Amino acid sequence: MINAAIAELRKRNRPVPKPTRLPTATEVDNTEKALGVRFHPDYRQLLLHGSDVVCGTIEPCTVLGDGNYTDLVEVASTAWKQMGLPRRLLPICEANGDYYCMNPDGAVEFWSHNGLTNEKWETLADWIMKVWIKGR
């Protein structure tokens, strides 16, 4: 399922003046170590094969270590330390002070600065199709 969602993202990729690049496996590994987490296999697949896509207004986190505002280490640090996001949730996309997060089971949950909401997608692929591509 994740490969089909990434393929659909690729079809919708918009050209931009300064495109980003895909991370290396080493960069993904180093980000896991820096955060002290193990990425769900679907998230790892997205990072390695689809994290350079520009589609719509969603800007998921990146793992290039470039200090960009989408840098996962920075986003997670802010979410966990300043915003009170539970450590069991990995923020994969910041949205105006709220976060789309992967839980340990691979589902994506929407976390508001007011706490968890009832918005949840059973898989990362489902979130990609319904939120990132179709805008909910």
Short mmCIF file of all heavy atoms in Angstrom, two decimals, residues 18-55:
data_model
loop_
_atom_site.label_atom_id
_atom_site.label_comp_id
_atom_site.label_asym_id
_atom_site.label_seq_id
_atom_site.Cartn_x
_atom_site.Cartn_y
_atom_site.Cartn_z
N LYS A 18 13.75 25.38 -6.15
CA LYS A 18 14.84 24.72 -5.43
C LYS A 18 14.33 23.39 -4.87
O LYS A 18 13.98 23.30 -3.69
CB LYS A 18 15.35 25.59 -4.29
CG LYS A 18 16.09 26.82 -4.74
CD LYS A 18 16.64 27.57 -3.55
CE LYS A 18 17.44 28.77 -4.01
NZ LYS A 18 18.04 29.48 -2.88
N PRO A 19 14.28 22.37 -5.70
CA PRO A 19 13.77 21.08 -5.22
C PRO A 19 14.70 20.48 -4.16
O PRO A 19 15.91 20.71 -4.17
CB PRO A 19 13.71 20.21 -6.47
CG PRO A 19 14.68 20.83 -7.41
CD PRO A 19 14.73 22.29 -7.09
N THR A 20 14.11 19.75 -3.26
CA THR A 20 14.89 19.03 -2.26
C THR A 20 15.31 17.69 -2.85
O THR A 20 14.91 17.33 -3.95
CB THR A 20 14.08 18.86 -0.96
OG1 THR A 20 14.95 18.36 0.05
CG2 THR A 20 12.91 17.91 -1.14
N ARG A 21 16.11 16.97 -2.12
CA ARG A 21 16.55 15.65 -2.58
C ARG A 21 16.08 14.60 -1.60
O ARG A 21 15.67 14.91 -0.48
CB ARG A 21 18.07 15.62 -2.71
CG ARG A 21 18.78 15.77 -1.37
CD ARG A 21 20.29 15.58 -1.50
NE ARG A 21 20.95 15.82 -0.23
CZ ARG A 21 21.05 14.95 0.76
NH1 ARG A 21 20.52 13.75 0.65
NH2 ARG A 21 21.69 15.26 1.88
N LEU A 22 16.15 13.36 -2.03
CA LEU A 22 15.84 12.26 -1.13
C LEU A 22 17.03 12.04 -0.19
O LEU A 22 18.18 12.23 -0.58
CB LEU A 22 15.59 10.98 -1.93
CG LEU A 22 14.29 10.96 -2.74
CD1 LEU A 22 14.26 9.75 -3.66
CD2 LEU A 22 13.09 10.97 -1.82
N PRO A 23 16.77 11.60 1.03
CA PRO A 23 17.87 11.31 1.94
C PRO A 23 18.51 9.96 1.60
O PRO A 23 17.91 9.12 0.94
CB PRO A 23 17.18 11.24 3.30
CG PRO A 23 15.80 10.75 2.98
CD PRO A 23 15.46 11.38 1.65
N THR A 24 19.71 9.78 2.10
CA THR A 24 20.37 8.49 1.99
C THR A 24 19.89 7.61 3.15
O THR A 24 19.34 8.11 4.15
CB THR A 24 21.89 8.64 2.08
OG1 THR A 24 22.22 9.13 3.39
CG2 THR A 24 22.43 9.59 1.01
N ALA A 25 20.12 6.32 3.04
CA ALA A 25 19.78 5.41 4.14
C ALA A 25 20.56 5.79 5.39
O ALA A 25 20.04 5.70 6.51
CB ALA A 25 20.05 3.97 3.73
N THR A 26 21.78 6.25 5.22
CA THR A 26 22.60 6.66 6.37
C THR A 26 21.98 7.87 7.06
O THR A 26 21.95 7.94 8.30
CB THR A 26 24.04 6.98 5.91
OG1 THR A 26 24.60 5.80 5.34
CG2 THR A 26 24.90 7.46 7.07
N GLU A 27 21.46 8.83 6.29
CA GLU A 27 20.80 9.99 6.89
C GLU A 27 19.55 9.58 7.67
O GLU A 27 19.27 10.11 8.75
CB GLU A 27 20.46 11.03 5.82
CG GLU A 27 21.68 11.76 5.29
CD GLU A 27 21.40 12.59 4.07
OE1 GLU A 27 20.66 12.15 3.17
OE2 GLU A 27 21.97 13.72 4.02
N VAL A 28 18.80 8.63 7.14
CA VAL A 28 17.62 8.13 7.85
C VAL A 28 18.06 7.43 9.13
O VAL A 28 17.50 7.68 10.21
CB VAL A 28 16.79 7.19 6.95
CG1 VAL A 28 15.63 6.57 7.73
CG2 VAL A 28 16.24 7.95 5.73
N ASP A 29 19.08 6.59 9.04
CA ASP A 29 19.61 5.90 10.23
C ASP A 29 20.08 6.89 11.28
O ASP A 29 19.81 6.73 12.47
CB ASP A 29 20.78 4.98 9.86
CG ASP A 29 20.37 3.80 8.98
OD1 ASP A 29 19.17 3.46 8.92
OD2 ASP A 29 21.28 3.22 8.35
N ASN A 30 20.81 7.91 10.84
CA ASN A 30 21.33 8.91 11.78
C ASN A 30 20.21 9.69 12.46
O ASN A 30 20.33 10.05 13.64
CB ASN A 30 22.27 9.88 11.07
CG ASN A 30 23.59 9.24 10.67
OD1 ASN A 30 23.97 8.18 11.20
ND2 ASN A 30 24.30 9.85 9.74
N THR A 31 19.12 9.93 11.75
CA THR A 31 17.99 10.63 12.35
C THR A 31 17.32 9.75 13.39
O THR A 31 16.94 10.23 14.47
CB THR A 31 16.99 11.08 11.27
OG1 THR A 31 17.67 11.90 10.32
CG2 THR A 31 15.83 11.86 11.87
N GLU A 32 17.18 8.47 13.10
CA GLU A 32 16.64 7.54 14.10
C GLU A 32 17.48 7.58 15.37
O GLU A 32 16.94 7.66 16.48
CB GLU A 32 16.62 6.11 13.56
CG GLU A 32 15.52 5.82 12.58
CD GLU A 32 15.54 4.38 12.10
OE1 GLU A 32 16.63 3.83 11.82
OE2 GLU A 32 14.45 3.78 12.01
N LYS A 33 18.79 7.53 15.20
CA LYS A 33 19.69 7.57 16.36
C LYS A 33 19.57 8.87 17.12
O LYS A 33 19.53 8.88 18.36
CB LYS A 33 21.14 7.34 15.90
CG LYS A 33 21.42 5.93 15.47
CD LYS A 33 22.84 5.79 14.94
CE LYS A 33 23.00 4.41 14.29
NZ LYS A 33 24.17 4.35 13.44
N ALA A 34 19.52 9.98 16.41
CA ALA A 34 19.42 11.29 17.06
C ALA A 34 18.14 11.42 17.88
O ALA A 34 18.13 12.05 18.94
CB ALA A 34 19.49 12.40 16.00
N LEU A 35 17.06 10.82 17.38
CA LEU A 35 15.77 10.89 18.06
C LEU A 35 15.57 9.78 19.08
O LEU A 35 14.66 9.85 19.91
CB LEU A 35 14.63 10.85 17.04
CG LEU A 35 14.52 12.05 16.11
CD1 LEU A 35 13.48 11.79 15.04
CD2 LEU A 35 14.20 13.31 16.90
N GLY A 36 16.38 8.72 18.98
CA GLY A 36 16.21 7.58 19.88
C GLY A 36 14.96 6.79 19.59
O GLY A 36 14.32 6.25 20.49
N VAL A 37 14.60 6.71 18.30
CA VAL A 37 13.40 5.97 17.89
C VAL A 37 13.75 5.06 16.71
O VAL A 37 14.77 5.24 16.05
CB VAL A 37 12.24 6.90 17.47
CG1 VAL A 37 11.82 7.78 18.62
CG2 VAL A 37 12.60 7.73 16.27
N ARG A 38 12.89 4.11 16.47
CA ARG A 38 12.98 3.26 15.28
C ARG A 38 11.78 3.60 14.43
O ARG A 38 10.64 3.52 14.88
CB ARG A 38 12.94 1.80 15.70
CG ARG A 38 13.24 0.85 14.60
CD ARG A 38 14.72 0.55 14.61
NE ARG A 38 15.02 -0.45 13.60
CZ ARG A 38 15.97 -0.28 12.71
NH1 ARG A 38 16.71 0.79 12.72
NH2 ARG A 38 16.21 -1.21 11.83
N PHE A 39 12.01 4.03 13.19
CA PHE A 39 10.91 4.40 12.30
C PHE A 39 10.12 3.18 11.88
O PHE A 39 10.68 2.11 11.62
CB PHE A 39 11.42 5.12 11.05
CG PHE A 39 12.09 6.44 11.30
CD1 PHE A 39 13.13 6.86 10.49
CD2 PHE A 39 11.70 7.27 12.34
CE1 PHE A 39 13.75 8.08 10.70
CE2 PHE A 39 12.31 8.49 12.57
CZ PHE A 39 13.34 8.90 11.74
N HIS A 40 8.82 3.37 11.76
CA HIS A 40 7.96 2.33 11.20
C HIS A 40 8.45 2.08 9.76
O HIS A 40 8.85 3.03 9.07
CB HIS A 40 6.51 2.81 11.21
CG HIS A 40 5.53 1.77 10.79
ND1 HIS A 40 5.25 1.51 9.47
CD2 HIS A 40 4.79 0.91 11.53
CE1 HIS A 40 4.36 0.54 9.41
NE2 HIS A 40 4.06 0.16 10.64
N PRO A 41 8.42 0.84 9.28
CA PRO A 41 8.89 0.56 7.91
C PRO A 41 8.22 1.40 6.83
O PRO A 41 8.88 1.79 5.86
CB PRO A 41 8.58 -0.93 7.72
CG PRO A 41 8.54 -1.49 9.11
CD PRO A 41 8.03 -0.38 9.99
N ASP A 42 6.94 1.70 6.97
CA ASP A 42 6.25 2.54 5.98
C ASP A 42 6.82 3.95 5.97
O ASP A 42 6.99 4.56 4.91
CB ASP A 42 4.75 2.60 6.25
CG ASP A 42 4.03 1.32 5.88
OD1 ASP A 42 4.65 0.40 5.32
OD2 ASP A 42 2.81 1.24 6.18
N TYR A 43 7.12 4.48 7.15
CA TYR A 43 7.68 5.83 7.23
C TYR A 43 9.08 5.86 6.63
O TYR A 43 9.43 6.77 5.89
CB TYR A 43 7.68 6.33 8.67
CG TYR A 43 8.09 7.78 8.79
CD1 TYR A 43 7.45 8.76 8.03
CD2 TYR A 43 9.10 8.17 9.64
CE1 TYR A 43 7.81 10.10 8.12
CE2 TYR A 43 9.48 9.51 9.74
CZ TYR A 43 8.83 10.47 8.98
OH TYR A 43 9.20 11.78 9.07
N ARG A 44 9.85 4.85 6.92
CA ARG A 44 11.19 4.75 6.34
C ARG A 44 11.10 4.72 4.81
O ARG A 44 11.85 5.39 4.11
CB ARG A 44 11.90 3.50 6.87
CG ARG A 44 13.33 3.39 6.45
CD ARG A 44 14.01 2.17 7.10
NE ARG A 44 15.38 2.15 6.74
CZ ARG A 44 16.35 2.84 7.34
NH1 ARG A 44 16.07 3.59 8.37
NH2 ARG A 44 17.59 2.77 6.91
N GLN A 45 10.15 3.97 4.28
CA GLN A 45 9.94 3.88 2.83
C GLN A 45 9.58 5.25 2.25
O GLN A 45 10.10 5.65 1.22
CB GLN A 45 8.83 2.86 2.54
CG GLN A 45 8.63 2.53 1.10
CD GLN A 45 9.71 1.60 0.54
OE1 GLN A 45 10.67 1.24 1.21
NE2 GLN A 45 9.55 1.24 -0.70
N LEU A 46 8.69 5.97 2.94
CA LEU A 46 8.32 7.31 2.48
C LEU A 46 9.53 8.24 2.48
O LEU A 46 9.75 8.96 1.51
CB LEU A 46 7.21 7.90 3.35
CG LEU A 46 6.84 9.35 3.04
CD1 LEU A 46 6.30 9.49 1.61
CD2 LEU A 46 5.86 9.88 4.06
N LEU A 47 10.30 8.22 3.55
CA LEU A 47 11.47 9.08 3.62
C LEU A 47 12.44 8.81 2.47
O LEU A 47 12.93 9.73 1.83
CB LEU A 47 12.19 8.91 4.97
CG LEU A 47 11.47 9.46 6.18
CD1 LEU A 47 12.17 9.03 7.46
CD2 LEU A 47 11.34 10.97 6.11
N LEU A 48 12.70 7.54 2.22
CA LEU A 48 13.70 7.16 1.21
C LEU A 48 13.22 7.32 -0.23
O LEU A 48 14.03 7.48 -1.14
CB LEU A 48 14.15 5.72 1.44
CG LEU A 48 14.99 5.49 2.68
CD1 LEU A 48 15.15 3.99 2.96
CD2 LEU A 48 16.36 6.16 2.54
N HIS A 49 11.89 7.28 -0.44
CA HIS A 49 11.39 7.26 -1.81
C HIS A 49 10.37 8.33 -2.17
O HIS A 49 9.98 8.44 -3.33
CB HIS A 49 10.82 5.87 -2.13
CG HIS A 49 11.81 4.78 -1.95
ND1 HIS A 49 12.84 4.56 -2.84
CD2 HIS A 49 11.97 3.89 -0.95
CE1 HIS A 49 13.58 3.55 -2.42
NE2 HIS A 49 13.08 3.13 -1.27
N GLY A 50 9.92 9.12 -1.18
CA GLY A 50 8.91 10.12 -1.50
C GLY A 50 9.03 11.43 -0.76
O GLY A 50 8.20 12.32 -0.96
N SER A 51 10.05 11.59 0.05
CA SER A 51 10.12 12.81 0.87
C SER A 51 10.60 14.04 0.11
O SER A 51 10.66 15.13 0.66
CB SER A 51 11.00 12.57 2.10
OG SER A 51 12.32 12.23 1.74
N ASP A 52 10.89 13.88 -1.16
CA ASP A 52 11.27 15.02 -1.99
C ASP A 52 10.10 15.56 -2.81
O ASP A 52 10.24 16.54 -3.54
CB ASP A 52 12.42 14.64 -2.93
CG ASP A 52 12.04 13.55 -3.92
OD1 ASP A 52 11.12 12.74 -3.62
OD2 ASP A 52 12.66 13.49 -4.99
N VAL A 53 8.93 14.98 -2.65
CA VAL A 53 7.76 15.37 -3.44
C VAL A 53 7.14 16.65 -2.91
O VAL A 53 7.02 16.85 -1.70
CB VAL A 53 6.71 14.23 -3.43
CG1 VAL A 53 5.39 14.69 -4.03
CG2 VAL A 53 7.24 13.02 -4.18
N VAL A 54 6.74 17.52 -3.83
CA VAL A 54 6.00 18.73 -3.49
C VAL A 54 4.60 18.54 -4.06
O VAL A 54 4.42 18.43 -5.28
CB VAL A 54 6.66 19.99 -4.09
CG1 VAL A 54 5.82 21.22 -3.80
CG2 VAL A 54 8.07 20.15 -3.55
N CYS A 55 3.62 18.49 -3.16
CA CYS A 55 2.24 18.23 -3.58
C CYS A 55 1.31 18.95 -2.61
O CYS A 55 1.32 18.67 -1.41
CB CYS A 55 1.98 16.72 -3.56
SG CYS A 55 0.28 16.25 -3.93
#
